[in-house]
Amino acid sequence: MERRSMKNKTLTVPVDTTKNGKQKRMHMVVKYDEPKFQQTRCQLEKNIALNNPLDDKEHNDNKTQNKKNTLYKSEKLGKRTLLKKQNVHNKDPIPDENDTKKTKWEPAHWKEVLNNIREMRKHGDAPVDAMGWDHSANVDIAPEVRRYHVLISLMLSSQTKDEVNHAAMGRLKEHGLTIENICNTSEDVLGKLIIPVGFWKTKAKHIKMASDILKKNYNNDIPNTIELLCKLPGVGPKMAHLCMNHAWGIVTGIGVDVHVHRISHRLGWTKVFKTPEDTRKELESWLPESLWSEVNHLLVGFGQQICKSQRPSCETCLNKDLCPQGKKELAERVKKSPKKRKS
């Protein structure tokens, strides 16, 4: 209802408006002159109607237009911002490039290279296949004694050829290779039994000390974890991982010796050529775990026969076109070879 005040010359006009999607009734108070009352009232309602639409359809149209304007403004912030605005109601929004998980690095053609090495090793005629450290433990003995044999064979194998290690293990078993008997054997006698393995004096000392620890702390058996094995004198990560696999049947990592260390770098399977432990970590970062127990034995025999430390047989290697070091080696040999004179 309109109310006029003659004293103050004001006009109070009720007007239905829409604000934030809700309809409300407002009272506008304006000054007026009596002769211009009708004109003032009409002009007031016209202005309110323009600024506060009462029609729902008109209101929705304006809301849609405002949303479009927001999208156009967002173009200044970049294409990605605009895409996020447009797909805000989609179930499957476009993923951010930074959220995509990075694929792990792996060397090129490594599966083909591995299959070629298997093909070259299929006859199993390398020294490691007949006299390797893993062939020194008898099967028909008590499990704890067999595990002890595996550990001692690994301790002797460092810096020692398989043939020499195999012969030393034979002499120890004839002497009586049990924890109890080795604890009762002097270090001098033990040293004479393992000559001529590399560093035989140090190894005799370590075997004697380790056997005393096994008798005292492990009830004449060997530890069943990597951490405890590495605490034994003369036992490092390579021996510990191989021991866990062959003594306990648990694959905990790749055993990296000089052959695996050298060949992995030549094939481009590792980025950094520092220590065997660094090589182990790099190999385990991309090589499937199902291959960890195979790779040591496979590469050791390959290194003994073809990929030798000095003068590798790159000409007959099946990976000569895939191996980075092999291609360089062959190119150098071509340069050094005498050129044939033209007749």
Side-chain angles (χ1 to χ4, degrees):
M1 171 179 271
E2 300 174 358
R3 297 191 300 271
R4 283 181 287 174
S5 174
M6 301 301 294
K7 181 179 182 180
N8 298 324
K9 292 186 179 181
T10 59
L11 171 66
T12 303
V13 182
V15 180
D16 293 331
T17 63
T18 302
K19 188 175 183 181
N20 297 329
K22 296 181 180 181
Q23 289 189 355
K24 292 183 178 180
R25 170 156 290 195
M26 298 176 59
H27 291 81
M28 306 296 295
V29 179
V30 295
K31 291 185 176 182
Y32 78 99
D33 294 326
E34 185 66 27
K36 298 182 180 180
F37 167 74
Q38 292 297 334
Q39 182 181 354
T40 303
R41 180 179 181 277
C42 293
Q43 186 65 37
L44 177 64
E45 291 180 345
K46 184 178 179 180
N47 292 340
I48 293 174
L50 288 175
N51 296 325
N52 300 281
L54 298 178
D55 192 330
D56 291 339
K57 182 179 180 181
E58 185 180 355
H59 174 70
N60 292 334
D61 291 342
N62 290 339
K63 190 174 182 180
T64 303
Q65 185 63 35
N66 291 336
K67 187 179 290 185
K68 290 181 180 179
N69 293 337
T70 303
L71 290 176
Y72 288 130
K73 289 179 181 179
S74 66
E75 288 181 345
K76 297 180 180 179
L77 301 178
K79 184 178 180 181
R80 186 176 300 168
T81 304
L82 180 60
L83 290 174
K84 287 183 178 180
K85 291 276 187 179
Q86 292 173 341
N87 291 278
V88 68
H89 297 297
N90 291 353
K91 292 183 179 179
D92 298 317
I94 298 176
D96 194 339
E97 295 175 358
N98 296 329
D99 295 336
T100 305
K101 291 183 178 180
K102 296 181 180 180
T103 56
K104 63 180 181 180
W105 176 87
E106 61 182 33
H109 312 294
W110 71 268
K111 292 181 181 179
E112 185 178 353
V113 171
L114 183 64
N115 287 330
N116 287 338
I117 296 176
R118 287 170 175 165
E119 178 65 22
M120 291 182 280
R121 292 273 289 114
K122 66 181 181 180
H123 299 296
D125 51 358
V128 70
D129 296 316
M131 292 175 286
W133 60 266
D134 52 336
H135 292 272
S136 298
N138 296 334
V139 180
D140 54 344
I141 55 178
E144 62 274 12
V145 178
R146 186 188 67 82
R147 288 191 285 268
Y148 180 63
H149 284 193
V150 171
L151 177 62
I152 298 302
S153 182
L154 279 166
M155 294 177 71
L156 294 175
S157 67
S158 177
Q159 303 294 320
T160 303
K161 291 185 177 181
D162 288 325
E163 301 89 335
V164 176
N165 182 35
H166 188 76
M169 282 295 295
R171 293 190 293 272
L172 285 174
K173 286 188 284 187
E174 288 181 2
H175 173 74
L177 189 53
T178 62
I179 294 176
E180 188 71 30
N181 196 31
I182 295 300
C183 288
N184 296 328
T185 302
S186 66
E187 191 175 313
D188 291 337
V189 173
L190 190 59
K192 292 178 181 179
L193 289 172
I194 64 175
I195 288 178
V197 300
F199 306 101
W200 61 270
K201 289 184 179 180
T202 302
K203 290 179 180 179
K205 180 180 179 181
H206 287 164
I207 290 174
K208 181 74 173 171
M209 293 171 61
S211 298
D212 290 335
I213 293 172
L214 298 179
K215 179 181 180 181
K216 181 180 179 181
N217 299 337
Y218 296 99
N219 193 25
N220 288 334
D221 204 344
I222 69 172
N224 59 356
T225 66
I226 292 292
E227 294 75 18
L228 293 176
L229 282 169
C230 287
K231 289 182 179 181
L232 295 175
V235 178
K238 179 206 79 171
M239 297 182 193
H241 286 296
L242 291 174
C243 189
M244 287 296 298
N245 184 15
H246 290 270
W248 293 103
I250 302 173
V251 178
T252 55
I254 300 174
V256 178
D257 63 355
V258 291
H259 294 288
V260 179
H261 183 48
R262 178 183 70 251
I263 295 171
S264 296
H265 180 66
R266 285 179 175 178
L267 293 175
W269 285 6
T270 57
K271 297 179 181 179
V272 181
F273 187 61
K274 289 185 178 180
T275 65
E277 185 63 10
D278 292 327
T279 297
R280 178 187 69 83
K281 292 178 181 178
E282 283 203 59
L283 289 176
E284 292 178 2
S285 69
W286 62 266
L287 191 68
E289 191 172 348
S290 58
L291 301 175
W292 289 4
S293 61
E294 176 190 9
V295 69
N296 176 271
H297 190 83
L298 194 68
L299 293 186
V300 168
F302 179 60
Q304 290 175 340
Q305 293 182 307
I306 298 176
C307 197
K308 300 177 182 179
S309 58
Q310 301 295 327
R311 189 74 184 181
S313 303
C314 297
E315 294 87 353
T316 60
C317 180
L318 297 180
N319 291 318
K320 61 183 178 181
D321 296 326
L322 300 173
C323 175
Q325 185 63 32
K327 289 188 285 187
K328 291 181 182 179
E329 186 75 20
L330 290 174
E332 288 294 327
R333 293 177 189 179
V334 170
K335 290 181 180 180
K336 293 180 181 180
S337 61
K339 296 180 179 179
K340 295 182 179 180
R341 294 182 180 179
K342 294 183 180 180
S343 57

